[in-house]
Amino acid sequence: MPRLRNNRRAARALLCGALCLALSACGASSSPAAPPTPEPAASRPALGVMTSLPLYWPLGADIAAIAAGSAPVPWQRGVLEQAFRLTPLDTLSPMPGLAPDAPEIDPLVGLDRLAVIQPRGLSPSDNVALDDWVRAGGRLLLVLDPQLTGEYDLPLGDPRRPAQSALIPPVAARWGLAIAFDEAQAPEPKAQSIGTATVPLVLAGQIAVTDPGAAQCTLLAAGAAARCKVGAGQVTVIADAAIFEHAELAGEGGAALAALMKAVLG
């Protein structure tokens, strides 16, 4: 654990300068990227979002402020809402109706795109629902970071604090994937390509294809990501959440984050 804590501190100290070097090494421009142009609201596709990170509401936001619509909007949500209409989700599996004779409520009905980013953990029914939804043609971004590098001003054990280390859901193994983490790796940010996007990675996990027959999977970003065809759908798994944690890594106006979302779910 001391080595891991030291790596996290070093990673935060090196984020800005080392990222510039990494981007240059990958051939990316060092000049600030222009902020993405928002899509008209009516043309933005719906995107379901399940996450323990403060992406939709700020960390520790007051419930009254949220209910009144006066809570500040996190920068990540601002970036995502330029291209998508967001639907925050607490569960992926059907829930009982509001009345005794009412039908079940399926949170994934009407959604073609879904982002599950550093979840607290998926229930057995969530795993089944997610697998069924993808196989029916859904497009999924699944971000599972073995070790977050962001700082969160809440004590360990506080239920509002993001999941420091992602629990790997059984559905990932069903798709033939496993994720490992090397605690001894250098903490410098590294830039890697995922489709047409250049993504900064900090203390990323390493994905392995353990069952090639389970899905048609291709490793990306030097093994920190994978893209799989599962039934009629597509899954992109990224074993790092740094671009969702650090505004300085997301590009000018969130351009790098917007490019990633477009490459995966656009």
Side-chain angles (χ1 to χ4, degrees), residues 95-154:
M95 302 172 289
L98 299 179
D101 57 346
E104 286 187 327
I105 300 172
D106 188 342
L108 299 182
V109 165
L111 291 176
D112 298 320
R113 296 168 175 83
L114 180 63
V116 178
I117 302 168
Q118 200 70 359
R120 296 196 184 282
L122 301 183
S123 69
S125 58
D126 283 344
N127 277 268
V128 172
L130 185 59
D131 186 49
D132 289 345
W133 177 84
V134 170
R135 291 181 186 278
R139 299 180 66 181
L140 170 67
L141 169 62
L142 180 59
V143 178
L144 301 170
D145 194 323
Q147 185 61 47
L148 295 181
T149 55
E151 291 192 25
Y152 301 98
D153 192 20
L154 287 172

